[in-house]
Amino acid sequence: MPTVKVTRRTFFLSATVLGTGLLAACTSSPDPIGNTSTPTTPSATETNGSGLLPQGDLYGVGIYNTQQVADELRYIEQNIQPLTGSDTKRVLITGSTGGIGQLAAAYFLRRGHRVVVHARNEQRAADVRRDLPGLEDVVIGDLLDLNQTRALAEHINGLGGFDVIIYNAGEYGLTGPEILNANSLSPYLLTALVSTPREQLMYLSSDLHLGGSLMLDEVRSGDGITYGDSKLHLAMIAAAAARRWPDIQVNAIAPGWIPTLMGFHNGNATTPDSLRDGYMTQVWLAESAEPGSDITGEFLFHRQVETRVNDFVHDTDAQEQLVAAYAERTGVAFS
Ligand SMILES: NC(=O)c1ccc[n+]([C@@H]2O[C@H](COP(=O)([O-])OP(=O)(O)OC[C@H]3O[C@@H](n4cnc5c(N)ncnc54)[C@H](OP(=O)(O)O)[C@@H]3O)[C@@H](O)[C@H]2O)c1
């Protein structure tokens, strides 16, 4: 039987940007885990002090995670060993109650790093406290609401400095103004307001940034943008931050099209890329001493510099126009 290879480029095609001529074949690397033995973490009925019960079974399959993410979380719990040296870091990840963010948080925890996760509300905080025992803290704020994002930044600063911050949270399939707030204005505000980490900043972008545009008028007015626009903006914020802070590493990352809830959002039955590769670039940047892992100001895909990037990403004039539009919209400068 012939094998049909679906690639992340196919996702790009099927999603929104037909006819751009930017498609190319790209090898996907399926990574079946198949490890579904009984978890050893606490029961679903434990509360977290807020009185809220976590939802569903451990890892929230069908509620906030796919079976594939739950299986990978079990794989991490059972197979990843702590670091032997003392090079542990303090890590903050936004949107870490499910999907890629939760996988990265789980991995860093198993390695012995101190991990602060971020939840949109108290319920999701209760879920993640149950799922990931040993977290240093959970910060709360819904990035759809810019006032909550500002309060979140203040709360994060009150916790003291971080070595690594990963701006991972993202919405898909909402209205233009909601996408603008959650995926573009909120990461901008957090970048501008949260104290710069000591070592690393990472931004979860997407292949779909290729079809994105600057949308300066829409940013200024709050009219709304597409998901692809927002993922371009994230990569541009990363590049602008990398220029401002040359002493740390700042990169944008495309995780591939992978089987989280977001990956299945449009009812697609399959996703072509490896779930594990979707978070291992973040781990590699934070932990590795390998040649090349000290990279900054780049757009990465699976630990490699992505060659197909939207021209706006590395256009410094465009970056500054976007930053100026953000400042006008939010009243917060990024100097
Ligand atoms: N999956 C893919 O194929 C793919 C491809 C390209 C890029 N990405 C990007 O990778 C990142 C992670 O995606 P994922 O696949 O892991 O998606 P996911 O499974 O839907 O997880 C997204 C995470 O972000 C949180 N979040 C979303 N909106 C939020 C808000 N308004 N306030 C606070 N938290 C919020 C979610 O919280 P709740 O659980 O409460 O919703 C969840 O923890 C996103 O930036 C996404 O755009 C994913």
Side-chain angles (χ1 to χ4, degrees):
M1 231 169 87
T3 307
V4 178
K5 186 179 282 178
V6 182
T7 72
R8 64 198 176 97
R9 306 294 180 199
T10 320
F11 174 43
F12 173 62
L13 174 65
S14 64
T16 49
V17 283
L18 290 160
T20 60
L22 292 164
L23 303 171
C26 172
T27 312
S28 69
S29 44
D31 194 4
I33 300 303
N35 186 347
T36 54
S37 57
T38 311
T40 55
T41 35
S43 85
T45 52
E46 285 187 22
T47 68
N48 68 340
S50 68
L52 284 169
L53 284 173
Q55 307 174 90
D57 292 333
L58 188 70
Y59 305 143
V61 174
I63 303 173
Y64 51 84
N65 269 327
T66 58
Q67 186 63 53
Q68 290 90 331
V69 172
D71 289 347
E72 185 71 8
L73 286 164
R74 290 193 179 98
Y75 167 83
I76 291 169
E77 185 186 315
Q78 291 164 6
N79 294 281
I80 302 307
Q81 301 302 317
L83 283 169
T84 47
S86 57
D87 191 21
T88 56
K89 304 185 193 294
R90 191 159 186 246
V91 183
L92 169 74
I93 307 173
T94 66
S96 32
T97 52
I100 299 169
Q102 187 177 11
L103 289 165
Y107 193 101
F108 285 125
L109 263 180
R110 287 293 301 167
R111 297 286 279 164
H113 301 292
R114 289 170 294 150
V115 180
V116 175
V117 298
H118 158 239
R120 74 165 75 221
N121 57 33
E122 291 286 355
Q123 177 60 64
R124 300 295 287 114
D127 297 335
V128 75
R129 284 194 184 98
R130 182 270 315 270
D131 287 355
L132 301 180
L135 290 169
E136 184 184 311
D137 213 335
V138 182
V139 291
I140 297 175
D142 187 338
L143 305 181
L144 289 166
D145 176 347
L146 298 185
N147 288 328
Q148 290 197 35
T149 303
R150 291 167 199 269
L152 176 66
E154 223 176 290
H155 186 177
I156 292 168
N157 284 336
L159 298 177
F162 286 88
D163 299 301
V164 176
I165 297 181
I166 305 176
Y167 291 124
N168 165 88
E171 297 272 20
Y172 186 86
L174 301 185
T175 66
E178 288 170 324
I179 292 290
L180 175 64
N181 276 7
N183 293 10
S184 186
L185 289 167
S186 280
Y188 167 76
L189 278 174
L190 292 171
T191 302
L193 295 173
V194 170
S195 305
T196 314
R198 289 179 284 266
E199 297 181 10
Q200 297 261 352
L201 261 175
M202 304 179 209
Y203 294 81
L204 267 288
S205 182
S206 163
D207 274 359
L208 295 179
H209 89 284
L210 283 166
S213 300
L214 262 185
M215 309 298 280
L216 297 176
D217 289 341
E218 289 75 4
V219 170
R220 284 191 205 97
S221 66
D223 272 356
I225 58 174
T226 67
Y227 177 84
D229 297 330
S230 77
K231 291 296 159 178
L232 169 63
H233 293 176
L234 270 176
M236 294 175 72
I237 299 170
R243 284 192 294 108
R244 282 163 172 77
W245 299 316
D247 295 336
I248 66 167
Q249 288 177 253
V250 188
N251 292 290
I253 298 165
W257 181 17
I258 55 177
T260 62
L261 277 189
M262 186 185 288
F264 290 137
H265 185 88
N266 283 330
N268 302 293
T270 57
T271 56
D273 289 322
S274 152
L275 185 59
R276 193 167 299 163
D277 283 339
Y279 65 90
M280 284 308 288
T281 302
Q282 295 82 308
V283 170
W284 176 73
L285 282 168
E287 282 195 345
S288 176
E290 259 177 47
S293 63
D294 58 352
I295 200 160
T296 189
E298 290 294 352
F299 190 109
L300 303 176
F301 174 73
H302 296 182
R303 290 170 258 188
Q304 306 277 333
V305 174
E306 177 60 276
T307 50
R308 288 173 178 275
V309 292
N310 189 310
D311 288 344
F312 282 129
V313 171
H314 296 300
D315 178 336
T316 54
D317 288 341
Q319 289 163 21
E320 293 313 308
Q321 286 173 39
L322 182 62
V323 165
Y326 282 138
E328 201 176 313
R329 177 75 192 157
T330 63
V332 173
F334 179 32
S335 49

